[in-house]
Amino acid sequence: MKSAVETLNPTRVRLTVEVPFEELKDSLDAAYKKINQQVTVKGFRKGKIPARVIDQRFGRGAVLEEAVNDALPKFYTEAVNEAEVNPLGQPEVDITELKDGELLAFTAEVDIRPAIEIPDYSGIEVEVDAIEVTDEDVEKSVEQLRERFASTNPVERAAAEGDVVTIDLQAKVDGEVLPDGIADGVSYTIGSGELLDGIDAAVTGLEAGGEATFTSELKGGSAAGKEAEVTVKVTAVAARELPELDDEFAQMASEFDTLDELKADSRKRLENMKQFDQATQAQERVLEKFLEIAEIPVPEKLLEDEINTRKHNLEHHQLGQMGLTLEKYLEFQGKTVEEFDAETKEQAVKGIKTQFLLDELVSQEKLNVDQEELTEHLMRRAASSGMSPDQFAQAVVQGGQVPMLVGEVARGKALAVVVEAAKVVDTNGNVVDLSDEDEEQATETVEAVTGEAEVSEEK
């Protein structure tokens, strides 16, 4: 076999391959054997039909076609390895010559990973929010805890904001009660915004037994997105009572003996949360700068596939679970189709460039992923998917996705290397030390940028 490679552009090549006919012998034998098992010829046992009879009855062309289809993947892979290119996706193959007994020639055009030069990232500088926890933040946190321990007591008066009402609901569209438009005994806190738009105004001022009708756009169910006439009946009104903020509350709501200790713990937790957010912000901004200083061409076909994958995942998975169409989602977001397409393309380009750049850094720095790191990542992914670690691991192995998980962890480690080398300061001018930050957090940051699609290499 002879092969040559032609660079069409930085992300695409054309392989030209010539195969002497004698190298097709194994594939020809396999073709005759396959056809032997599929056809019947009178006078011959199945599987024992001579090759000359198959040629006479079914045509030599059918045998050649079967043999070429069998041989092409092998010769294509050999040509790829010989050219030392990293193909992305499936090639476009064109058989340019097929002479029985002489020669098979074909070309294969395929996208490739571009050659990327890692820029000097030691001079990257970014600014992040300072970690500041105010007394007001602490009070708000304690107040939220206090809300969780609120009690309710029935009252005989009109419902007001903050009260908990028990209600029956009935929704009609075009005068017809919806099959899933009836709900009885629903508990609702007035002012929480957890149900339909307009319900707060409808139930405020009603006593037990009171009823009101209002119109609202349904957020889910069989008529999601449609205007409905909703009838709400209040069956009970209860006032919420908050516990006193004192040491007794601290003992009831936490492991602490005093309110001061509870507040101190709340402050510490808020500081940890802000520290996590600060690290994520630093990672995101360092990655942005890293991408800006790198030259990374993006293959057109790969970009097209990535855009389609992102749209499909949004429309058929995320929105589908919420009972929303893409049109209704864009309406809620206040975006046009053109704006959505431009935004999706921008995100796809960024995701592909991030994978290319960080994968190259992984190779350059020889970053390895050990079993402990992979297991930790697998357990986090399992938790976010709602599956047990064993179930998730089994699904990953069966789906052949272990290399994908290894790639995710490796990219997180690569980003952590860049972040550690960068200069990060907060808005107060203080240098932020991120050298001890968890690499798994960097992996999450990379995942958020690259999305669910994975740039795969195929040969």
Side-chain angles (χ1 to χ4, degrees), residues 37-51:
Q37 299 300 323
Q38 295 175 339
V39 301
T40 302
V41 176
K42 190 174 180 180
F44 297 95
R45 285 184 296 159
K46 194 165 187 176
K48 300 295 183 179
I49 308 169

Side-chain angles (χ1 to χ4, degrees), residues 128-140:
V128 294
D129 296 335
I131 297 176
E132 296 176 346
V133 177
T134 65
D135 290 343
E136 183 179 349
D137 293 332
V138 175
E139 294 299 331
K140 184 178 179 181

Side-chain angles (χ1 to χ4, degrees), residues 246-277:
D246 52 22
D247 292 347
E248 186 176 336
F249 166 72
Q251 294 164 14
M252 173 182 66
S254 71
E255 71 271 29
F256 302 104
D257 294 327
T258 68
L259 184 60
D260 287 342
E261 290 174 334
L262 173 60
K263 288 183 177 181
D265 180 71
S266 295
R267 184 179 295 276
K268 183 63 177 175
R269 284 188 297 103
L270 290 172
E271 288 174 349
N272 290 338
M273 289 170 57
K274 286 181 178 285
Q275 188 174 22
F276 183 91
D277 292 342

